[in-house]
Amino acid sequence: MANDLGMKERLALGRVHMPELDATVRSRNFEEVNRGLGLEEAVREAKRCIQCKHRPCVEGCPVGVSIPEFLDALAAENLPESARILQGDNALPAVCGRVCPQETQCEAKCVRGMKGEPVAIGYLERFVADWAMANPEKLVKTQLPPATGKKVAVVGCGPAGLTAAGELARAGHGVTIFEALHDTGGVLRYGIPEFRLPKEIIDVEVSRLVAMGVEIECNVIVGKTLTLGELREEFDAVFIANGAGLPTMLNIPGENLKGVYSANEFLTRVNLMEAGRNPHAPTPIIAGRQVAVIGGGNTAMDCVRTARRLGAERAMIVYRRGEAEMPARVEEIKHAKEEGVEFVMLTAPLEIVGTDAGWVAALRCQRMELGPPDESGRRKPVAVAGSEFDLPAEVVVNAVGTRANPLLTATAPALELNRWGNIVADENGATSIPGVYAGGDMVRGGATVILAMGDGKRAAAAINSHLS
Amino acid sequence: MYEILENVILAPNLHRLTVKAPRVANARKPGQFVIVRADRGDERIPLTIGDADPAAGTITLFIQAIGASTLKIVSIPVGGALRDVAGPLGQPTHIENWGRVACVGGGVGTAVLFPLARALAEAGNQVTTIIGGRSEQYIILADELAAFSAEVLITTEDGSRGRKGFVTHALADLIADPARAPRVVLAVGPVPMMRAVAELTRPHGIETVVSLNPIMIDGTGMCGGCRVVVGGESKFACVDGPEFDGHLVDFAGLSDRLTTYRSFEERARHAATECRLAKEVANG
């Protein structure tokens, strides 16, 4: 036991607070909001872990990180060992430490949370991962096993694909990732804003995989540039993780007015193409003084906080249920509120009203009230008659969700799909075609980075046994 | 990197680039497009693939340099390279032997039309090609189109070549002649031209296909920026198109959406032109 504190002393320690950039300052720039812990704070927080025997936190982690072990090494200030454990279990720890919903996963299971506050596992994961990034020369060198001679194609360079690629490379297989966009990271780069996940973190995590021998070919759209059939001829196994697809339309009048964006388009312009945050970026974006974002998930929060940073005086979340029903992370909601985002709750969009010149002028809405729970268990919103009103806006962003992307599956008729067009895969990612595995949003239809990573890890294990 | 093997000026601001892109060349069918970025940090520009040579691993792109990004692309010399070429994207043109077809091209649209017209001719159609431009210097590919067309009709707005007027004038005469009237019309060009062609053929019930080039980013259906209303339904030009039934396209909506970034484009063009001028002045 590396921990020099007794149980009583450990239990007496209170949970650390994440230092944040001041809300007034940060709501006008794209700098990372959470600043990260210092060594002293991190070690102290790691000592709050009581190293309980049944390790419920590990069960709460979709990629099964050996949490008590990496915390124990951190508590002993053995950072190389802590990093070795963490990176061994998780291909993208600096990403997970920033974007995972720990409060519903590892930290929700932490025994310290039953009577007080759980250990800040997410903050510590980020701390150790960032330390590893800053101190590559101090890391324990891991020896790759001899090459197996087997080749695996990974479709999509997002969280699921990167995780699977890392696991497969570590098992000695030759891995090629095919990415449709011109850059790596998938949703980590085009979807998650800089202020939550700086893009250089993706670059470093990806370069770690490349150093392990993973090849990445961008600008390849599987289903268009190459077909699944061609990949199966060239590779011994294929893992499909091509992500979320087409935006779901609102199907309300005015959706094609100038100034109406899907969340995907709005975020891709700003995140991937740097519109509005790099003065030299040639890709434009309509910023808007008043911006209404429709939806209540993390994507909606990312859009509304981005709109604020692009200069919106009034940035609003319009959501048809109440705040308690919002699927967004508690931290995102808190940060958005601190940054001056308005929450227009129990409100559903009816129409986007335009100017004579075809620009967005307002979002016509209707008040809702919560009725009995629906099939998802959430209380179903019911319209209040005669409650229509207009929210003035120049930009409306639709962040209600995405549908399955048909590009790959359209050219692979043997691949079994569900009724929404998502690929059917078992708990190991195996699809209806032997040797073809799938995971992430293309299977789940819209979930989180960490669930996609869990899929990648399990599929890699299954591919590994399939190949040996 | 995708090497540029040829860069030829066909008309003012209109270039033909031959680019090394073996995977795209191998998979491409007529009517599909690629998304191109000249360099790191640049815009993603959708461009129709004019032609492809799978054996040589090359594709041909026709580029009208009208904005800062397209100006940058055409200014890359032979031996230089495009940073990104992604594709082929979109649905291929539906090719069938209808008997008599008319292929109508305006400006750079003629270049997009070229491989489609050839594919239609190869499928056994009798192809009448109508191409138009502002003046003689904007008329491109007339000889190449003549190689497989039953006839090539040329119109210019100033009468400097062929008939004075618009492509619709030539098409109206063609439709009026029972011996030459087409069963299907394929139109590629500026939105007002495609709209005028669709309005002309509508009362005659002649099937009319148009090829759209709206605002888009990823080209894989992800952003939905290229949505266009077709028959009252929102369609994504990048995955459902780029070709649609011209009688069902909401051209007014499409034209209006195309103006979204006009003020940005003008600023960028000014900056690019000033930059060029500054360079020229500096170089004497």
Side-chain angles (χ1 to χ4, degrees):
Chain A
M1 178 66 57
N3 209 323
D4 55 358
L5 296 185
M7 182 65 83
K8 214 170 169 184
E9 292 162 298
R10 276 185 264 170
L11 287 172
L13 295 172
R15 181 176 160 118
V16 70
H17 288 280
M18 173 59 80
E20 292 170 358
L21 210 58
D22 177 75
T24 352
V25 176
R26 76 184 193 232
S27 64
R28 285 291 181 259
N29 67 37
F30 282 87
E31 276 175 49
E32 191 173 16
V33 172
N34 287 346
R35 306 311 290 171
L37 304 180
L39 175 66
E40 207 174 305
E41 289 168 298
V43 169
R44 183 176 174 278
E45 182 65 21
K47 287 179 179 174
R48 291 186 66 230
C49 171
I50 59 168
Q51 297 288 323
C52 61
K53 290 287 159 283
H54 58 301
R55 311 160 85 237
C57 51
V58 181
E59 269 166 60
C61 173
V63 296
V65 167
S66 309
I67 294 165
E69 287 76 8
F70 100 79
L71 293 186
D72 198 34
L74 174 57
E77 295 189 42
N78 186 350
L79 281 147
E81 175 61 5
S82 187
R84 187 192 64 78
I85 297 165
L86 181 59
Q87 291 188 334
D89 288 332
N90 186 340
L92 310 167
V95 172
C96 292
R98 286 170 167 83
V99 305
C100 263
Q102 290 95 6
E103 66 277 10
T104 62
Q105 295 176 165
C106 53
E107 294 182 20
K109 302 265 175 133
C110 176
V111 291
R112 291 223 46 184
M114 290 192 291
K115 225 176 150 189
E117 289 193 282
V119 176
I121 300 166
Y123 297 168
L124 298 180
E125 179 179 35
R126 170 183 163 162
F127 175 81
V128 174
D130 285 2
W131 178 89
M133 249 188 245
N135 298 280
E137 73 290 345
K138 294 185 190 153
L139 296 180
V140 183
K141 293 273 174 293
T142 43
Q143 201 75 48
L144 287 182
T148 60
K150 302 282 186 187
K151 288 165 65 188
V152 184
V154 172
V155 182
C157 196
L162 288 169
T163 302
E167 296 288 325
L168 291 162
R170 263 205 291 252
H173 306 305
V175 182
T176 305
I177 303 179
F178 294 101
E179 165 58 43
L181 289 172
H182 59 254
D183 208 346
T184 56
V187 70
L188 304 175
R189 195 177 301 271
Y190 77 74
I192 300 180
E194 181 81 10
F195 54 85
R196 281 216 290 141
L197 178 65
K199 301 303 159 229
E200 55 175 331
I201 288 180
I202 307 167
D203 293 336
V204 176
E205 301 266 36
V206 168
S207 65
R208 223 153 42 82
L209 295 181
V210 172
M212 281 163 63
V214 172
E215 284 183 34
I216 302 177
E217 194 178 334
C218 287
N219 297 321
V220 176
I221 303 103
V222 176
K224 290 288 182 185
T225 318
L226 293 171
T227 61
L228 180 60
E230 287 170 305
L231 291 185
R232 290 185 67 211
E233 277 172 34
E234 207 188 315
F235 294 88
D236 300 296
V238 180
F239 177 57
I240 302 168
N242 56 346
L246 288 57
T248 309
M249 291 284 120
L250 296 164
N251 291 317
I252 59 173
E255 209 165 1
N256 291 324
L257 288 165
K258 291 172 286 186
V260 182
Y261 287 109
S262 72
N264 273 353
E265 181 178 2
F266 189 72
L267 293 173
T268 301
R269 282 181 181 271
V270 179
N271 297 338
L272 177 71
M273 308 309 294
E274 301 185 19
R277 66 185 176 96
N278 170 357
H280 303 293
T283 302
I285 184 139
I286 307 295
R289 266 189 324 109
Q290 306 171 99
V291 179
V293 177
I294 301 163
N298 288 322
T299 306
M301 295 305 140
D302 285 344
C303 291
V304 79
R305 297 175 68 196
T306 296
R308 193 81 178 108
R309 284 160 173 78
L310 292 175
E313 289 158 23
R314 206 174 168 205
M316 299 166 275
I317 285 283
V318 177
Y319 184 54
R320 62 200 188 110
R321 302 180 206 244
E323 196 180 312
E325 285 78 27
M326 286 211 296
R329 285 187 70 192
V330 178
E331 184 181 55
E332 305 311 319
I333 297 170
K334 169 184 162 275
H335 280 163
K337 283 190 171 168
E338 289 167 358
E339 289 161 15
V341 168
E342 286 175 55
F343 283 67
V344 186
M345 298 291 98
L346 292 166
T347 300
L350 291 176
E351 180 183 350
I352 304 165
V353 185
T355 65
D356 292 341
W359 294 90
V360 173
L363 183 65
R364 184 153 297 157
C365 301
Q366 178 173 44
R367 294 286 181 202
M368 310 296 276
E369 55 191 18
L370 290 180
D374 63 9
E375 62 274 16
S376 75
R378 293 185 298 177
R379 293 178 65 191
K380 197 179 158 71
V382 185
V384 178
S387 65
E388 293 79 5
F389 68 102
D390 284 0
L391 278 177
E394 293 84 38
V395 169
V396 170
V397 182
N398 159 15
V400 299
T402 55
R403 298 174 279 150
N405 193 319
L407 293 189
L408 185 151
T409 52
T411 60
L415 205 53
E416 195 195 331
L417 308 179
N418 68 16
R419 64 190 168 110
W420 298 283
N422 296 108
I423 296 173
V424 175
D426 70 10
E427 67 282 4
N428 294 315
T431 69
S432 56
I433 303 176
V436 177
Y437 297 75
D441 278 3
M442 189 54 200
V443 170
R444 295 175 178 272
T448 60
V449 165
I450 187 67
L451 287 173
M453 291 177 56
D455 290 350
K457 192 163 177 175
R458 277 190 306 278
I463 291 170
N464 199 22
S465 28
H466 171 76
L467 294 179
S468 43
Chain B
M1 300 295 269
Y2 302 80
E3 196 190 346
I4 293 181
L5 304 175
E6 244 190 332
N7 184 347
V8 181
I9 302 174
L10 298 182
N13 295 324
L14 179 63
H15 289 238
R16 188 185 70 212
L17 262 57
T18 308
V19 182
K20 189 97 181 163
R23 289 203 196 276
V24 181
N26 194 45
R28 169 266 181 189
K29 292 191 180 70
Q32 291 186 298
F33 65 95
V34 282
I35 293 222
V36 168
R37 282 200 329 158
D39 205 352
R40 189 179 285 276
D42 284 353
E43 248 183 313
R44 292 171 65 91
I45 304 288
L47 297 167
T48 306
I49 306 166
D51 209 346
D53 183 343
T58 60
I59 57 170
T60 307
L61 302 174
F62 294 91
I63 301 153
Q64 191 171 26
I66 43 165
S69 297
T70 42
L71 273 170
K72 185 167 175 185
I73 291 171
V74 301
S75 65
I76 302 173
V78 170
L82 295 166
R83 189 171 194 281
D84 299 291
V85 176
L89 296 162
Q91 299 298 327
T93 306
H94 175 67
I95 303 289
E96 195 183 309
N97 188 355
W98 283 286
R100 278 203 300 267
V101 300
C103 291
V104 186
V108 70
T110 302
V112 175
L113 185 75
F114 172 72
L116 315 184
R118 190 174 57 190
L120 285 166
E122 281 166 2
N125 289 285
Q126 185 192 319
V127 177
T128 301
T129 304
I130 304 173
I131 54 178
R134 242 187 299 160
S135 62
E136 184 179 12
Q137 55 181 340
Y138 293 95
I139 298 299
I140 55 167
L141 302 173
D143 295 340
E144 288 87 342
L145 286 159
F148 52 79
S149 301
E151 55 180 330
V152 176
L153 307 173
I154 296 171
T155 66
T156 50
E157 286 169 43
D158 63 359
S160 54
R161 184 166 176 193
R163 176 176 176 173
K164 184 173 162 69
F166 294 101
V167 286
T168 39
H169 297 140
L171 181 61
D173 288 355
L174 191 70
I175 292 170
D177 180 353
R180 290 152 75 223
R183 254 193 75 196
V184 173
V185 172
L186 195 66
V188 192
V191 174
M193 181 216 104
M194 292 191 283
R195 185 182 196 170
V197 168
E199 288 316 316
L200 175 63
T201 57
R202 191 193 304 273
H204 301 281
I206 300 170
E207 189 182 334
T208 300
V209 178
V210 294
S211 178
L212 310 183
N213 192 4
I215 292 164
M216 61 175 75
I217 302 203
D218 59 291
T220 63
M222 196 185 80
C223 82
C226 65
R227 62 191 180 273
V228 52
V229 176
V230 180
E233 244 184 277
S234 237
K235 295 280 185 189
F236 291 179
C238 68
V239 292
D240 302 318
E243 288 165 22
F244 293 103
D245 181 340
H247 295 149
L248 299 179
V249 170
D250 170 14
F251 285 107
L254 172 67
S255 309
D256 195 44
R257 275 186 71 79
L258 284 170
T259 65
T260 306
Y261 301 106
R262 187 167 281 171
S263 63
F264 292 90
E265 285 155 12
E266 274 163 15
R267 247 177 289 151
R269 193 161 43 233
H270 279 182
T273 324
E274 271 169 29
C275 188
R276 259 192 181 183
L277 283 175
K279 250 189 215 164
E280 276 166 29
V281 170
N283 296 338

